Amino acid sequence: MYLALLVIFLQCSGVYTQERVFTFNSVEIRAKPSVKVKNGAPMSIICHADISKSASFHLQHNITIFKDGKLVYMIVSDKGIARYEVPIARSSDTGEYECTVKADGKTKSSNLLQVWVTGMTKPILTAEKREVLEGEVVKLHCELPEEVPPLLFLFRKIKVNSTPKEKYVFEAHRNFSTVEFSVEEGDNILQFDCFGKRYVKHINIELESSEPSNRTLVTVKEPFIKPSLIIKSTSNITEGDRIEFECSTVVARMRDIEIILQKNKTILNSVRDEKLLKYSAVATLEDSGEYLCKVEQGRASKTTKLNVVVAELFPKPILSASVSKLDENKELTLSCSISGFQKANFSILRRNSNGDILLKNSRNLTMRVNVNDTGSYICKAEVKRIAKESKPVRISVYAPVSKPTLSVVNGLPEVVLGKPLRLICRLMMGTPPITFTFYKGNEVKKVVINDTYATFLDENIRQNDKRGYKCDARNNHSSGVKTSNILNITVIVPIQNVSLGSIPYGEVEDGSETVFLCSVEEGSWPIHFKIFKTTDHDTLLYEKTESTDRIVWHKETMSRQDTGTYYCMVSNRAKVNVKSHPITINVILASWQKGVIAAFVLILIAGAITLTAWWFLCKKKKAKGSSMEMSRSALATNSTNEKLARQHNDGDYYSGSGYIEDGENHMKSSDENKGPDLESAEVEYTEVEVSTLDPHRAPVQKGTETVYSEIRKANNDSTENRHSRIQGHPDAT
């Protein structure tokens, strides 16, 4: 039963699923009446979804409309259409629109729709005051109702027969703005208006402007009238006359009023809270020019100009000198005159930084000069309290130059080859400017104009250049030129190609003498030589300064510690150390040391040979005694065994097959003991079988061993020479 119910449920579910199948065919968005709408007109944005269904069933739609990516409208409906109404379209409604439809887990969006609302709201302009004074400000307020920021405001100040003045103000968060315009001199009737502007994203980003606002009229009143400037004296003004100026105005209120008199931007006089300014002075030629009277109150300002010409009473005096350049202790005459004018008070003065020094109240001056009289001189002329100065005249008094001194800048008259030579020419006395001339030999190298010294740099120094240097000096004194002594320069040749050698070279016998030779190929004397031995810290062995290109150093006794590497370091006044290539010296044994060692070795060898011979002789004596005992007991086996055992213990036993033979020493010993009868004794060889056993030195040895011994008879009849042959047997006891 349960199985049947499950089958029925699945079938019903399949049928239900089949009934709710749908798909989006398209989602469309459009604007009504069109995508271009006039500002202030109604506008509708319509979104429509085209959906196909498998059957008729209820489907809920979630429809949202976006402008420039921001949500502006949303509705949930069972119909596939939505309408976003804009009753009054503004320029802020311009933008890209898009709608999205969601239904039962499915979503589809429309294409973008560009809508452009043309035009902006007419701005409204108001002025804080309709009547102002010169120098005050006009505060304006411009508003764009129903417009959305950001907005750009343009204010204009319009004056008759003049270009309007404009001010821009950007408002990011307000749909209104305020601005101030100052009221200037000459402003009478002013008009103001404003515009609103905004950036609109259409095909491209464009700046859209509103129509102009209403015009606002502002009346300007003068706080004071334009000032008048007059001269209260004769129209023809001459130097020495008193000149008087008057500047006046009419003001509405006296507070903060100021009158200023100027000439060439220099203020001559000023008054405050008064309507009249006066100024007077004795006229001079420099008083000619343009005068300006200015009246100020707050921001208001008015000016009046007046041009004044002052006639010259007498021209400037002229100072003349008998000579402008002269030697000390000579006479100088100064004369002052005025062209076409004789009656004047004259004075002659000398210029000084602390004030002019009066020399004489006269038109002429004669004096004997010295060097301190060098300077500028003027003369003054005064007529009717008008004083005028002449142009200054420069007088130069010269002391003769002393004999110049030429030297090297660093002090020593020498130079390193390849380095520049800097010379200086000095004077102890002489009035500048002084002309210095440098010579190399008779060739002019440099001309310098200076006060007390001059320098010369010679960069072309040659090794064999023998030309001397000199300099001369002269100024405007009549004594002429003075020349220095000739300066001879020593050219120092730097050290080049240092070499070090030794005799003997390479290997040196211990205790012998070694001669070191350090030499240079080129270099100026004196030369400083140093010989070093290379160690952890190089050791100085020998040094000497010589006026030669080589030194010889005798090291009388060499030792094993002198083995090592040696080099030579050389320098001269060029102050450059030059190092030679190193040489290696190995100290070996002397010949007599080798002879002593050889003699000692030979003595050791001879001793060893002597000891060996003595040991061998002793051994043969022992062997002879053993042989005699064996011959005496040859007939008794036990005695023989004991002898062999004793010989074995004495170390004269040979394992295996071999011979024990008596040498000539045994024979001679026997001959000496037995006498001459033994010489003719016959030798008898007897073969004896023996068994040997040494429990201390070797395991039991079995086998055949043969021992030969010579047995001489005691007499010719009874004694026989026997050759005993002892053959070991494995069963022997």
Side-chain angles (χ1 to χ4, degrees):
M1 184 180 73
Y2 291 107
L3 181 61
L5 290 175
L6 179 60
V7 171
I8 294 171
F9 176 75
L10 291 175
Q11 287 180 347
C12 292
S13 299
V15 171
Y16 178 77
T17 303
Q18 271 190 333
E19 289 179 352
R20 293 188 61 82
V21 173
F22 75 97
T23 183
F24 285 104
N25 295 321
S26 65
V27 174
E28 296 179 351
I29 187 171
R30 57 190 175 90
K32 190 177 180 182
S34 69
V35 294
K36 192 171 184 179
V37 182
K38 189 176 180 181
N39 190 288
M43 178 182 72
S44 299
I45 303 297
I46 302 168
C47 180
H48 177 259
D50 183 10
I51 300 174
S52 296
K53 301 180 182 178
S54 60
S56 178
F57 59 89
H58 179 74
L59 184 64
Q60 233 178 14
H61 305 80
N62 189 345
I63 304 174
T64 53
I65 298 177
F66 300 89
K67 173 185 171 290
D68 296 332
K70 295 181 180 180
L71 177 65
V72 294
Y73 182 74
M74 182 176 67
I75 189 173
V76 178
S77 172
D78 56 355
K79 297 180 180 179
I81 190 169
R83 193 182 191 96
Y84 170 49
E85 298 287 349
V86 181
I88 301 174
R90 299 298 180 193
S91 58
S92 59
D93 295 320
T94 298
E96 290 181 339
Y97 288 83
E98 180 187 22
C99 75
T100 300
V101 180
K102 295 182 181 179
D104 200 13
K106 295 184 179 182
T107 304
K108 191 170 182 64
S109 298
S110 68
N111 295 327
L112 293 176
L113 177 68
Q114 178 68 48
V115 176
W116 188 13
V117 179
T118 61
M120 295 178 67
T121 307
K122 182 178 180 179
I124 300 172
L125 179 67
T126 57
E128 188 178 55
K129 293 181 181 180
R130 293 298 183 95
E131 187 176 280
V132 293
L133 296 174
E134 285 183 6
E136 292 183 343
V137 295
V138 177
K139 190 173 182 178
L140 303 174
H141 177 92
C142 183
E143 184 178 358
L144 284 168
E146 300 180 3
E147 294 292 344
V148 179
L151 298 168
L152 182 66
F153 291 88
L154 169 63
F155 295 86
R156 294 195 305 172
K157 174 185 174 182
I158 304 169
K159 190 164 59 172
V160 179
N161 299 326
S162 180
T163 303
K165 292 186 177 181
E166 298 180 345
K167 287 187 179 181
Y168 284 91
V169 181
F170 178 74
E171 295 289 349
H173 307 290
R174 304 187 302 183
N175 64 349
F176 67 91
S177 183
T178 59
V179 78
E180 291 182 351
F181 281 96
S182 60
V183 180
E184 302 169 353
E185 180 183 359
D187 291 347
N188 295 320
I189 298 175
L190 301 176
Q191 290 184 344
F192 299 91
D193 63 7
C194 68
F195 293 84
K197 296 176 182 290
R198 68 178 298 121
Y199 287 99
V200 178
K201 186 179 179 182
H202 185 45
I203 299 174
N204 296 316
I205 297 177
E206 299 178 4
L207 186 64
E208 187 177 28
S209 179
S210 70
E211 59 180 304
S213 69
N214 56 298
R215 286 203 173 183
T216 301
L217 184 67
V218 176
T219 304
V220 180
K221 292 184 176 181
E222 289 184 320
F224 50 83
I225 65 172
K226 185 176 182 179
S228 64
L229 178 61
I230 59 172
I231 298 176
K232 294 187 66 177
S233 59
T234 59
S235 57
N236 297 325
I237 303 172
T238 306
E239 286 182 308
D241 295 342
R242 177 162 290 278
I243 184 171
E244 295 183 2
F245 293 92
E246 283 190 0
C247 180
S248 61
T249 185
V250 177
V251 298
R253 61 175 186 268
M254 291 295 299
R255 190 180 60 173
D256 297 332
I257 191 78
E258 185 175 19
I259 303 175
I260 300 171
L261 180 64
Q262 288 178 280
K263 179 180 183 293
N264 298 331
K265 298 182 180 180
T266 301
I267 297 176
L268 303 177
N269 197 13
S270 67
V271 294
R272 267 188 175 277
D273 297 332
E274 294 184 14
K275 295 183 291 183
L276 177 64
L277 177 144
K278 292 183 178 182
Y279 173 76
S280 66
V282 176
T284 63
L285 197 62
E286 287 75 18
D287 291 329
S288 297
E290 186 179 74
Y291 289 78
L292 182 142
C293 178
K294 180 186 288 186
V295 180
E296 295 178 345
Q297 188 176 41
R299 297 187 181 184
S301 174
K302 293 185 180 183
T303 59
T304 299
K305 295 179 181 179
L306 178 65
N307 193 42
V308 175
V309 177
V310 178
E312 186 178 53
L313 178 61
F314 63 94
K316 286 185 176 182
I318 299 172
L319 179 65
S320 58
S322 58
V323 62
S324 61
K325 296 178 182 180
L326 69 163
D327 297 347
E328 62 179 354
N329 297 321
K330 297 289 184 178
E331 282 192 353
L332 171 68
T333 300
L334 299 174
S335 299
C336 187
S337 62
I338 299 174
S339 177
F341 203 94
Q342 297 294 326
K343 294 181 179 181
N345 296 323
F346 295 96
S347 57
I348 298 176
L349 303 93
R350 180 183 169 188
R351 289 282 195 201
N352 188 276
S353 58
N354 296 323
D356 295 344
I357 300 172
L358 176 64
L359 300 178
K360 190 176 182 181
N361 286 320
S362 173
R363 69 190 315 157
N364 297 312
L365 172 65
T366 300
M367 63 180 182
R368 190 170 296 277
V369 296
N370 57 44
V371 175
N372 295 329
D373 292 325
T374 296
S376 296
Y377 293 80
I378 61 169
C379 79
K380 285 186 178 180
E382 185 177 349
V383 178
K384 293 176 62 176
R385 295 180 298 172
I386 299 297
K388 295 185 179 182
E389 292 182 358
S390 68
K391 291 182 179 180
V393 174
R394 178 73 182 177
I395 302 297
S396 298
V397 181
Y398 292 92
V401 295
S402 60
K403 183 177 180 178
T405 301
L406 182 63
S407 61
V408 181
V409 171
N410 62 9
L412 297 176
E414 59 186 27
V415 63
V416 178
L417 184 65
K419 298 292 182 68
L421 173 66
R422 186 179 293 275
L423 301 176
I424 182 168
C425 186
R426 291 188 180 93
L427 288 177
M428 296 300 294
M429 294 177 58
T431 304
I434 300 170
T435 302
F436 295 88
T437 305
F438 290 89
Y439 298 86
K440 187 175 183 180
N442 294 320
E443 181 183 358
V444 176
K445 285 296 184 180
K446 187 178 182 182
V447 177
V448 181
I449 298 176
N450 206 348
D451 289 345
T452 58
Y453 72 93
T455 60
F456 165 59
L457 184 68
D458 188 358
E459 297 179 316
N460 187 21
I461 303 296
R462 298 178 183 176
Q463 183 174 351
N464 298 319
D465 200 342
K466 303 299 183 183
R467 292 181 292 174
Y469 295 86
K470 66 179 179 180
C471 71
D472 62 34
R474 69 179 184 276
N475 61 2
N476 291 318
H477 195 274
S478 59
S479 60
V481 178
K482 299 291 178 62
T483 304
S484 70
N485 295 331
I486 294 176
L487 177 65
N488 293 313
I489 299 297
T490 301
V491 179
I492 300 173
V493 180
I495 300 297
Q496 294 184 13
N497 299 332
V498 180
S499 60
L500 177 65
S502 68
I503 301 174
Y505 182 79
E507 290 187 348
V508 180
E509 290 187 354
D510 188 6
S512 65
E513 180 186 25
T514 301
V515 178
F516 291 89
L517 173 64
C518 181
S519 62
V520 299
E521 184 177 311
E522 193 173 12
S524 295
W525 299 348
I527 300 176
H528 189 61
F529 297 87
K530 293 181 181 180
I531 297 177
F532 291 88
K533 181 184 177 187
T534 302
T535 58
D536 293 338
H537 302 285
D538 290 359
T539 304
L540 176 63
L541 303 177
Y542 179 78
E543 66 175 324
K544 192 173 184 181
T545 301
E546 289 285 349
S547 294
T548 180
D549 60 355
R550 66 192 62 203
I551 59 154
V552 176
W553 175 44
H554 294 266
K555 184 169 176 55
E556 296 180 354
T557 304
M558 298 290 286
S559 63
R560 299 285 290 177
Q561 289 75 18
D562 294 325
T563 295
T565 303
Y566 296 79
Y567 66 89
C568 181
M569 185 81 76
V570 182
S571 64
N572 62 0
R573 283 177 294 169
K575 297 180 181 179
V576 177
N577 291 322
V578 182
K579 186 177 178 181
S580 69
H581 289 293
I583 63 172
T584 301
I585 294 179
N586 184 23
V587 180
I588 62 175
L589 293 174
S591 299
W592 66 269
Q593 291 174 328
K594 294 179 181 178
V596 170
I597 294 173
F600 180 72
V601 172
L602 290 175
I603 290 171
L604 290 178
I605 294 172
I609 293 172
T610 303
L611 290 175
T612 304
W614 178 79
W615 174 80
F616 189 70
L617 181 61
C618 293
K619 179 179 176 182
K620 294 200 72 159
K621 287 181 180 180
K622 289 181 182 181
K624 182 178 180 182
S626 299
S627 177
M628 294 299 292
E629 289 177 2
M630 286 178 63
S631 63
R632 292 191 191 103
S633 59
L635 299 178
T637 304
N638 293 335
S639 298
T640 302
N641 291 337
E642 290 176 1
K643 285 183 181 180
L644 294 175
R646 189 163 51 247
Q647 290 178 3
H648 184 86
N649 292 333
D650 291 338
D652 297 326
Y653 173 75
Y654 285 80
S655 176
S657 179
Y659 295 94
I660 301 177
E661 296 181 356
D662 293 326
E664 293 180 356
N665 292 333
H666 285 86
M667 292 295 293
K668 290 179 181 179
S669 178
S670 299
D671 292 342
E672 291 173 358
N673 292 332
K674 298 302 179 177
D677 295 335
L678 294 177
E679 292 179 2
S680 59
E682 296 180 0
V683 180
E684 182 180 24
Y685 294 92
T686 303
E687 182 175 308
V688 183
E689 288 187 2
V690 297
S691 176
T692 63
L693 177 64
D694 187 354
H696 300 289
R697 299 181 62 181
V700 176
Q701 306 218 0
K702 294 183 180 182
T704 302
E705 293 185 355
T706 304
V707 179
Y708 292 94
S709 64
E710 294 180 358
I711 304 172
R712 298 190 183 274
K713 294 181 180 180
N715 51 61
N716 293 332
D717 296 330
S718 60
T719 304
E720 294 179 351
N721 290 329
R722 295 182 180 178
H723 176 222
S724 299
R725 189 171 193 178
I726 304 170
Q727 183 174 4
H729 191 274
D731 295 331
T733 58

